[in-house]
């Protein structure tokens, strides 16, 4: 398992890249989709804060390996959903 610091940096950098793409879509996309773009930007920030917080305070009762594996899988799923919304 990598350190918590490395995991936090990875989460931050991925969310930063997705946020930049969402800003580009909001600026250069269709004018009618401004509300969707703002909602996506807010959801990206919310996902980043949630997963960094979950990295700092793991759930008791689970092994560290299982907890962080589940955390990475959930993060990948949520980022995948946001990217799918950006593409549509």
């Amino acid at each position: 398992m990598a350190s918590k610091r490395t995991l936090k940096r990875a989460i931050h950098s991925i969310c930063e890249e997705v946020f930049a793409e969402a800003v580009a879509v909001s600026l250069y996309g269709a004018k009618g989709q401004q509300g969707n773009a703002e909602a996506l930007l807010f959801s990206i920030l919310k996902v980043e804060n949630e997963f960094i917080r979950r990295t700092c305070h793991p759930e008791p009762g689970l092994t560290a390996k299982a907890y962080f594996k589940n955390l990475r899988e959930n993060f990948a799923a949520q980022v995948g959903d946001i990217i799918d919304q950006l593409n549509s």
Side-chain angles (χ1 to χ4, degrees):
M1 180 182 88
S3 68
K4 289 180 183 181
R5 180 181 296 172
T6 306
L7 183 58
K8 287 183 208 176
R9 284 182 185 163
I11 290 170
H12 179 71
S13 65
I14 290 169
C15 288
E16 184 178 357
E17 291 292 323
V18 173
F19 190 85
E21 289 295 321
V23 168
V25 167
S26 71
L27 290 176
Y28 302 116
K31 294 288 183 187
Q33 295 183 352
Q34 292 293 331
N36 286 342
E38 290 178 8
L40 279 175
L41 293 173
F42 181 71
S43 67
I44 292 167
L45 293 175
K46 200 163 106 175
V47 165
E48 179 181 7
N49 288 335
E50 174 189 348
F51 280 95
I52 286 180
R53 188 175 307 120
R54 285 176 59 187
T55 302
C56 295
H57 304 289
E59 292 179 12
L62 290 174
T63 63
K65 185 176 182 178
Y67 177 76
F68 287 109
K69 181 180 178 185
N70 186 22
L71 182 90
R72 285 190 303 268
E73 289 172 356
N74 290 341
F75 178 71
Q78 286 195 5
V79 169
D81 290 341
I82 291 172
I83 290 173
D84 289 342
Q85 290 177 358
L86 278 174
N87 290 333
S88 62

